[in-house]
Amino acid sequence: MKNFLTLLFILFFNFNFAQELITTGSNVSVNEAKALINQHNFARAEVGVSEIEWSSKLASVAQKYANYLASSSCSLRHSGNKNYGENLFWGSGTYYSALDASNSWYEEKQLYSYEKVSETNFHDYGHYTQMIWKNTTIVGVGVAKCSDGSYIYVANYYPPGNYIGQYPY
């Protein structure tokens, strides 16, 4: 009986763990998703905006686009989908996690001094301002490995941010 209960526990635990992994909606693991959310919420707390949550739906959209980019020369090109904000990250030479991607976007904070987003300054810190955009409430991230061994991350945000002429918070 004890062995049967142990087996049931193992099966139940593994089933729940597998279900939890599926819920990210992408190839990003649950632990990586949690780390990315924590880092985003740290950045958002620094500027006094509400927390952001993970969206499996957005992660699924991001995963499809990450797969597309990985299969087509693995170059960084924005999708042009106006329904979502989008951050991209590419790294080679080693494994890069979702947190590594998020940290690279966060590093743009040093280039940002509270100002309205404009056509001329957007490219300097647009990844960072999308992370902290006050109206954004959810994010989902996908990752794909390119044929050369590099990794590409796509993050989708909703509602999108980085509106020209507006402050992020």
Side-chain angles (χ1 to χ4, degrees):
M1 181 69 169
K2 182 179 177 183
N3 288 341
F4 178 73
L5 291 175
T6 302
L7 179 62
L8 279 177
F9 176 77
I10 290 170
L11 289 173
F12 179 75
F13 177 79
N14 285 337
F15 176 75
N16 281 343
F17 183 72
Q19 287 296 99
E20 190 175 3
L21 281 177
I22 291 169
T23 62
T24 66
S26 72
N27 292 340
V28 173
S29 73
V30 170
N31 287 337
E32 285 189 66
K34 287 177 182 177
L36 178 131
I37 289 295
N38 288 339
Q39 200 270 344
H40 270 60
N41 286 334
F42 172 82
R44 294 172 69 83
E46 286 184 321
V47 297
V49 297
S50 62
E51 290 189 346
I52 200 169
E53 294 182 357
W54 184 267
S55 166
S56 296
K57 177 185 174 192
L58 290 184
S60 176
V61 172
Q63 185 62 54
K64 287 176 187 168
Y65 192 61
N67 291 343
Y68 168 77
L69 291 174
S71 69
S72 59
S73 77
C74 210
S75 59
L76 295 178
R77 294 182 314 274
H78 283 283
S79 67
N81 186 338
K82 299 297 182 194
N83 295 319
Y84 307 118
E86 185 175 78
N87 280 349
L88 304 175
F89 172 85
W90 176 86
S92 69
T94 185
Y95 175 74
Y96 288 90
S97 69
L99 183 58
D100 292 326
S102 186
N103 281 330
S104 79
W105 303 325
Y106 178 74
E107 287 175 5
E108 293 178 4
K109 175 186 176 182
Q110 64 189 347
L111 303 173
Y112 181 69
S113 56
Y114 190 68
E115 59 189 324
K116 291 180 181 178
V117 173
S118 74
E119 298 275 345
T120 58
N121 63 23
F122 171 79
H123 299 294
D124 294 335
Y125 49 70
H127 299 105
Y128 170 70
T129 53
Q130 177 57 80
M131 288 177 69
I132 62 164
W133 200 264
K134 65 184 169 219
N135 296 333
T136 298
T137 58
I138 55 176
V139 62
V141 179
V143 59
K145 188 173 183 178
C146 303
S147 61
D148 66 358
S150 62
Y151 290 86
I152 192 157
Y153 280 86
V154 175
N156 287 142
Y157 297 83
Y158 185 83
N162 285 331
Y163 289 103
I164 303 300
Q166 293 186 18
Y167 289 99
Y169 56 92

